Amino acid sequence: MGKVYFASDFHLGVPNYEESLLREKKVVRWLNQIESDCDTLFLMGDIFDFWYEYNTVIPKYYARLLGKLATMTDRGIKIYFFKGNHDMWTFEYLNKEVGLEVIDEELLITIDKTRFYLHHGDALWKGEISYKFIRKLFRSRWAIWLFHRLHPNFGIGLAKLLSVSSRKKNSVKDDIDIPLEQEYQYQFAMDHASNNEIDFYIFGHRHKPMDIPLNNNTRLINLGDWITKFTYAVLEDNNVSLHTYND
Ligand SMILES: [Mn+2]
């Protein structure tokens, strides 16, 4: 059996076209390196800093990554794409054209006897009430219907603006090195693990690489990001480890 890879939060599209393109090329170099032994790849949300898809139109960016992913799925590599809070408006394109399996929320999956709870990592725990409301609204049929009525030049411009304002809010949170006990992902996983048999909880979203034991059998992994950290996780011989891509 080959390896299973996990990465999240590339946030392609920011801070500007040129710098995003450099990061996108780096992601593709990483994919070139791993694809020979990669069975399954989990892209765990916020791959794009914004993505909005109309029935006939997609944002005119990200050609290298999308092409690379399509080549990999054509070769039989299984690739999952979790919706993040920046790229939840994905409909059929990523599945039909690129061959990705799109996951709306959590995915509980057992791979070679190792049990995983996978989620982008936003809106998991009891807090964040106002954020959860907006999240639900954004994902609602009404919001999507309304957005589909906007001309793409306006709609995708608006999506870019919204993603910048959401990131500004989040980056404040990211800077604060809050204690582990106050991390929503930790609180959620501790609670969930008390009633469920899971080996690894893997999340993105926090941009904070973590590998933390929850009990004797269970660990919490946060995948970090590909803005400054270039971190990813690998499942090999029933163990998950965090790595940094250097090239
Ligand atoms: Mn996120």
Side-chain angles (χ1 to χ4, degrees):
M1 185 179 158
K3 294 181 192 170
V4 177
Y5 290 85
F6 305 83
S8 73
D9 295 271
F10 301 162
H11 285 269
L12 296 180
V14 294
N16 54 51
Y17 183 81
E18 291 73 21
E19 289 179 51
S20 169
L21 187 60
L22 291 176
R23 292 211 319 284
E24 182 181 354
K25 288 180 178 176
K26 184 164 175 155
V27 170
V28 170
R29 287 197 298 279
W30 173 64
L31 293 172
N32 286 336
Q33 185 190 292
I34 67 167
E35 74 173 325
S36 61
D37 69 1
C38 175
D39 276 352
T40 307
L41 170 63
F42 290 93
L43 297 174
M44 297 199 48
D46 289 355
I47 295 309
F48 307 113
D49 199 71
F50 66 91
W51 176 269
Y52 189 77
E53 195 178 316
Y54 292 79
N55 290 345
T56 49
V57 175
I58 59 158
K60 58 169 190 180
Y61 306 99
Y62 323 130
R64 285 164 189 79
L65 177 62
L66 292 170
K68 180 68 206 175
L69 295 174
T71 309
M72 289 170 74
T73 59
D74 282 351
R75 286 184 186 156
I77 297 172
K78 176 84 183 172
I79 305 181
Y80 292 88
F81 180 98
F82 286 65
K83 291 181 182 178
N85 49 312
H86 285 259
D87 47 15
M88 63 182 99
W89 282 341
T90 57
F91 305 108
E92 59 161 33
Y93 177 82
L94 293 178
N95 179 254
K96 191 176 173 186
E97 186 67 18
V98 190
L100 311 181
E101 181 159 347
V102 177
I103 307 294
D104 280 330
E105 293 286 350
E106 76 276 7
L107 178 67
L108 283 109
I109 190 169
T110 302
I111 303 167
D112 195 22
K113 293 182 188 153
T114 307
R115 293 155 301 184
F116 291 93
Y117 183 107
L118 309 174
H119 191 278
H120 175 56
D122 60 322
L124 276 174
W125 191 235
K126 289 165 184 161
E128 303 180 286
I129 304 289
S130 63
Y131 167 66
K132 277 181 191 157
F133 174 77
I134 290 171
R135 184 179 191 269
K136 208 168 173 187
L137 183 75
F138 271 38
R139 287 188 178 217
S140 73
R141 247 201 288 164
W142 291 104
I144 291 162
W145 183 87
L146 228 96
F147 217 95
H148 271 102
R149 310 274 84 69
L150 303 176
H151 188 277
N153 288 350
F154 182 74
I156 289 174
L158 184 66
K160 271 172 124 168
L161 258 169
L162 285 173
S163 92
V164 168
S165 77
S166 146
R167 198 161 25 74
K168 272 189 184 144
K169 239 172 78 195
N170 278 326
S171 68
V172 175
K173 192 179 72 188
D174 290 343
D175 288 340
I176 303 166
D177 201 11
I178 61 171
L180 183 61
E181 302 73 48
Q182 287 170 30
E183 290 283 355
Y184 288 137
Q185 294 182 353
Y186 177 77
Q187 293 171 349
F188 170 82
M190 279 300 273
D191 181 67
H192 192 270
S194 63
N195 304 305
N196 296 275
E197 299 276 309
I198 302 285
D199 298 301
F200 293 97
Y201 291 84
I202 302 189
F203 306 119
H205 187 60
R206 277 295 275 126
H207 299 209
K208 181 175 170 179
M210 293 190 259
D211 182 352
I212 291 155
L214 301 176
N215 59 47
N216 286 343
N217 312 310
T218 310
R219 269 155 57 207
L220 163 68
I221 307 268
N222 185 283
L223 296 169
D225 70 34
W226 280 61
I227 299 171
T228 57
K229 301 177 190 87
F230 309 100
T231 40
Y232 63 95
V234 189
L235 166 69
E236 201 181 359
D237 303 324
N238 302 99
N239 190 35
V240 176
S241 49
L242 266 178
H243 301 261
T244 302
Y245 178 63
N246 298 304
D247 72 340

